[in-house]
Amino acid sequence: MSRILVADDSKIMRTKIYRVLTGEGHHVIQAADGQEALEIAEEQEGISLFLVDINMPNLDGISLIKKLRALPAYTDTPIFVLTTESSEHLQREGKESGATAYRR
């Protein structure tokens, strides 16, 4: 069972992702914004995957990715961006900040 942290300010998206992943046997941790996700990551080791939105209050997805990559426990942990943002600039920035994959 993988521990997956989902960071998205949309409760609907978090709930959909939660249902799919828990249905497959994964343990899902939810964060309503980037700051909450960062605090959870700093407190808990062993998260095996991050699913991150780009546009979130308090700490956006790009900034969250950079801060996660700066934590020794998460330098190599997969970080997938799941967003409605289709801008090539944001896709490039996401990958340059350390995202493993960027999907819209």
Side-chain angles (χ1 to χ4, degrees), residues 14-31:
R14 287 194 318 270
T15 300
K16 287 181 179 185
I17 294 168
Y18 176 87
R19 286 182 181 156
V20 169
L21 295 175
T22 57
E24 293 295 321
H26 301 289
H27 175 76
V28 178
I29 305 160
Q30 299 181 55

Side-chain angles (χ1 to χ4, degrees), residues 3-11 14 28-45 47 50-53 55-61 63-65 67-68 71 74:
R3 295 183 70 225
I4 301 170
L5 190 147
V6 177
D8 197 313
D9 59 323
S10 168
K11 185 173 183 169
R14 287 194 318 270
V28 178
I29 305 160
Q30 299 181 55
D33 62 46
Q35 185 60 44
E36 182 181 3
L38 180 62
E39 290 169 5
I40 292 168
E42 289 173 334
E43 294 170 3
Q44 301 181 28
E45 290 188 11
I47 297 170
F50 292 91
L51 301 177
V52 176
D53 187 21
N55 292 317
M56 295 184 288
N58 301 320
L59 185 66
D60 65 83
S63 299
L64 172 60
I65 294 166
K67 290 180 181 286
L68 289 171
L71 297 174
Y74 297 115

Side-chain angles (χ1 to χ4, degrees), residues 56-89:
M56 295 184 288
N58 301 320
L59 185 66
D60 65 83
I62 300 294
S63 299
L64 172 60
I65 294 166
K66 290 176 182 176
K67 290 180 181 286
L68 289 171
R69 289 298 185 217
L71 297 174
Y74 297 115
T75 57
D76 296 322
T77 303
I79 302 173
F80 291 1
V81 175
L82 296 176
T83 186
T84 58
E85 291 293 330
S86 61
S87 158
E88 287 186 28
H89 167 74

